């Protein structure tokens, strides 16, 4: 499968996830919304369409996470 038109880079691909102890893990299989069936992430398809997904990054949330991390760091340093 040498094509760049693989399912995992397609707009119609929905990956499957498995539940771990602390988080979820992406499986190598998923579902094709166009075919309505399970596919492997590296399959090629005639319905392939480039995914336009861009993660939504909120800079205020990043600043809050950084501040929270700094606070935890200070608490840890005070106890040691």
């Amino acid at each position: 499968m040498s094509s760049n038109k693989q399912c995992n880079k397609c707009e119609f691909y929905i990956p499957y996830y498995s539940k771990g102890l602390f988080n979820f893990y992406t499986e190598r299989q998923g579902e094709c919304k166009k075919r309505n069936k399970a596919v492997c992430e590296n399959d090629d398809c005639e319905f392939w369409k480039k995914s336009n997904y861009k993660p939504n990054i909120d800079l205020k949330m990043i600043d809050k996470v950084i501040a929270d991390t700094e606070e935890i760091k200070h608490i840890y340093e005070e106890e040691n």
Side-chain angles (χ1 to χ4, degrees), residues 63-79:
D63 289 339
K64 183 178 180 332
V65 169
I66 291 171
D68 291 347
T69 305
E70 288 294 323
E71 187 174 337
I72 292 170
K73 179 181 173 186
H74 290 301
I75 292 169
Y76 178 76
E77 288 173 347
E78 287 175 1
E79 290 184 7

Side-chain angles (χ1 to χ4, degrees), residues 10 15 18-19 25 28-30 44 60 62 71:
C10 179
S18 61
K19 184 177 179 186
Y25 299 96
R28 294 189 179 264
Q29 295 84 26
D44 290 336
K60 290 178 185 176
I62 292 174
E71 187 174 337

Side-chain angles (χ1 to χ4, degrees), residues 5-64:
K5 297 184 176 184
Q6 295 177 344
C7 287
N8 63 348
K9 299 173 185 166
C10 179
E11 180 178 321
F12 303 115
Y13 179 72
I14 303 170
Y16 291 150
Y17 294 91
S18 61
K19 184 177 179 186
L21 186 58
F22 298 107
N23 52 10
F24 290 89
Y25 299 96
T26 306
E27 296 291 332
R28 294 189 179 264
Q29 295 84 26
E31 183 176 340
C32 176
K33 292 189 287 185
K34 197 75 166 176
R35 289 188 200 169
N36 288 327
K37 70 175 199 174
V39 294
C40 289
E41 68 178 2
N42 296 327
D43 285 353
D44 290 336
C45 175
E46 68 273 7
F47 298 116
W48 188 88
K49 184 177 178 185
K50 182 179 178 182
S51 176
N52 293 325
Y53 173 75
K54 294 179 183 166
N56 185 10
I57 299 174
D58 183 5
L59 296 179
K60 290 178 185 176
M61 182 59 83
I62 292 174
D63 289 339
K64 183 178 180 332

